[in-house]
Amino acid sequence: PPLGVGIVVLAGALATAATVTRTGGSALAFLPPVVGAIAGAVLLVLLARRLRGWRDGARRTGSAAARPTGDASIDRRRFILLAAVSGVAAVAVGAGARIASAATASIEAVRDALRLPSPGSTVAIPDGAELDVDGLSPLFTPNADFYRVDTALTVPAVDPDSWRLVVDGMVDQRVELSFQDLVDMGVDEYVITLTCVSNEVGGGLVGNATWLGLPIRDVLAMAGVQDGADMVLSESVDGYTASTPLSAVTDEGLDAILAIGMNGEPLPLEHGFPVRMVVPGLYGYVSATKWVTRLKVTTFAQDEAYWTPRGYSAEAPIKLSSRVDTPRSDTPIDAGTVAIAGVAWAQTVGIEKVEVQIDSGDWQQATLSTAVNDDTWVQWYLEWDATPGTHYVAVRATDKAGTLQTEERAPIAPDGST
């Protein structure tokens, strides 16, 4: 120290930058390299102090082999013990990481070799569903760009051959299904927009995809749901749980599914391979369980999910919202004709209109894309004659039920921002 500490911190900073910018990185991807850098710096300081204590004590006694004494001296055996324990721990952590990486690589190979079945029905994409505007989010979010929010520090590596889904709780009979059992039930294509409760107004934690799967209600029907139940507690392979209203997964008019495919390929590992839940109209923390292995039919009075005791609502319908994609805030543009564009969503209800306000002027109605269905976002744009200077743009949406997006500000907790 201090040069050694500086080198360790620099290495940690470079590792952190590499980790957080990689495709598919989680919100906590920064944690391992940051913790590693801190641990390395602290360990370096401790070892250096003990080594100096050993050296100084030896000098006072005139022998490098003598036992150090005094507050400034540290027994050489304590130095050797700390160095040995640190080395063993580093090897153990490194070996564990290698084993975990090998398991993930193995499952990646399994995923790459998996051939999805052909859907019994597909979704027709209407003309005009996607607008040609620079800077506008595409109609379908690529898998590599699709947001990821979960509690997994490492992505679970689940082999579809050993994966099982258990349906129990308030049911007539316990049901256990394999991955092949699900496939044999027949799958269809669905287009559904997902939104995270952590999405701030104008944020990017929302995405639209084509999903391949089958209705959850078909699986629940095999078990026979008993009277009095009002919730399905879904559980992930890593123990995470979500509380989904029973009505949301049994309603014939809602496409709540167990998904095995995403945008024409098997689910990416970070998005729940081999099976996840997708429920339109509900924030992901109460509906979109990834790596799902259990569906417990129960009640809200009897069970609670992971986020409920942490201050979030047990039930959380997605709120009507809209977003400006282009021009971006604080990004200069040339004066002249400019397209203001973005997306709006009101899952299960649908968007009726979008309006744009410039510099506190009158609200102007934007042009909408043709909606794929009421469970997906729509794109919108408005041509604007931009003049030099600073301008302020606001957007609001109205859903098909006549509800106008609120101006009232609310944080993400307990049930979504506005």
Side-chain angles (χ1 to χ4, degrees), residues 153-171:
L153 287 177
T154 58
V155 177
V158 184
D159 189 337
D161 286 340
S162 60
W163 175 89
R164 294 294 184 272
L165 176 68
V166 172
V167 183
D168 60 7
M170 298 175 64
V171 295

Side-chain angles (χ1 to χ4, degrees), residues 332-391:
I333 58 173
D334 294 331
T337 302
V338 174
I340 302 174
V343 290
W345 57 91
Q347 283 99 320
T348 75
V349 181
I351 294 293
E352 180 65 30
K353 67 177 180 179
V354 170
E355 298 170 290
V356 178
Q357 183 187 57
I358 302 167
D359 294 332
S360 301
D362 295 335
W363 287 97
Q364 305 175 58
Q365 189 160 332
T367 299
L368 298 183
S369 66
T370 303
V372 176
N373 57 48
D374 290 339
D375 294 332
T376 64
W377 64 15
V378 295
Q379 300 172 328
W380 58 265
Y381 79 96
L382 177 76
E383 287 195 346
W384 169 43
D385 186 14
T387 57
T390 299
H391 299 276

